[in-house]
Amino acid sequence: MKKLLLSIGAAFLLAAGAQAQTGYGIKAGVNLGKYSNFGDDQSNNTSFHVTGFADLPVAPQFSIQPGVSLQGKGSKFVGAYENFDADATINTMSIEIPVNAVYYIPAGAGDVFLGAGPYIGFNVSGKEKLRGNLGDYSGETEWDLEIGNDKDLKLIDAGINFMAGYKLNNGFLINAGYGLGLTNIIPNAVDNVSNRVLSFGIGFQY
């Protein structure tokens, strides 16, 4: 965790020293989330992301992009047991601070871009829904997840982002990304459980 925070701090300092024109952008789209070490019966939990970012050139075709992002994550789990079928959905929402290094490759009417970098996130809410059948009983229940080191969901989530996309010369962009969580987000879990999020979106950079 300390190394990750130092990496984010160093990236901010590098970005602050940029002399070229600073750009700004916003992007939004769909998240498809799962958890590591959470069993084989998972399916993608569909949520969303909204990200505002700055683009700070530090070399030709190379920029640092710090940002602030609202990220929906979670997972779906389907279990089938004797006399019991259950579907569980976990939805979480976090505020993240990503710092990506981005390389632009001129191509046609714009640029292909590739990027990666660390993020640190703060879980702000979580909800779990359970729907199942037990014998003659059929029902659905939902409850909020408590956030904290000794509760249902840890406060801190950190990891590495990977992204790729295409930005037109007018600023419109399309992108795909993958968030690789590196921290255990569920206290007292037998195995470390971390986020795995595939994302797709569009945006605009000016």
Side-chain angles (χ1 to χ4, degrees), residues 47-134:
S47 190
F48 70 94
H49 67 270
V50 179
T51 303
F53 63 92
D55 185 87
L56 301 111
V58 294
Q61 300 173 222
F62 182 76
S63 293
I64 299 295
Q65 286 188 356
V68 177
S69 183
L70 182 64
Q71 293 278 343
K73 301 184 179 183
S75 185
K76 288 185 177 180
F77 184 83
V78 179
Y81 309 93
E82 185 177 356
N83 298 322
F84 181 59
D85 295 321
D87 298 337
T89 302
I90 301 174
N91 287 292
T92 64
M93 192 65 62
S94 65
I95 296 174
E96 288 185 1
I97 301 173
V99 181
N100 295 310
V102 182
Y103 184 67
Y104 293 94
I105 305 170
D111 299 286
V112 173
F113 60 86
L114 304 171
Y119 74 84
I120 183 167
F122 303 91
N123 291 311
V124 295
S125 68
K127 191 178 291 291
E128 185 167 357
K129 179 185 291 185
L130 181 65
R131 180 177 57 195
N133 300 302
L134 179 58

Side-chain angles (χ1 to χ4, degrees), residues 8 11 15 30 36 44 49 74 83 123 127 139 150 165 175 192:
I8 291 176
V30 175
S36 68
N44 288 316
H49 67 270
N83 298 322
N123 291 311
K127 191 178 291 291
D150 297 319
N175 66 279
N192 284 348

Side-chain angles (χ1 to χ4, degrees), residues 125-128 142-146 152:
S125 68
K127 191 178 291 291
E128 185 167 357
E142 182 177 274
W143 62 92
D144 293 329
L145 299 177
E146 295 184 354
D152 301 316

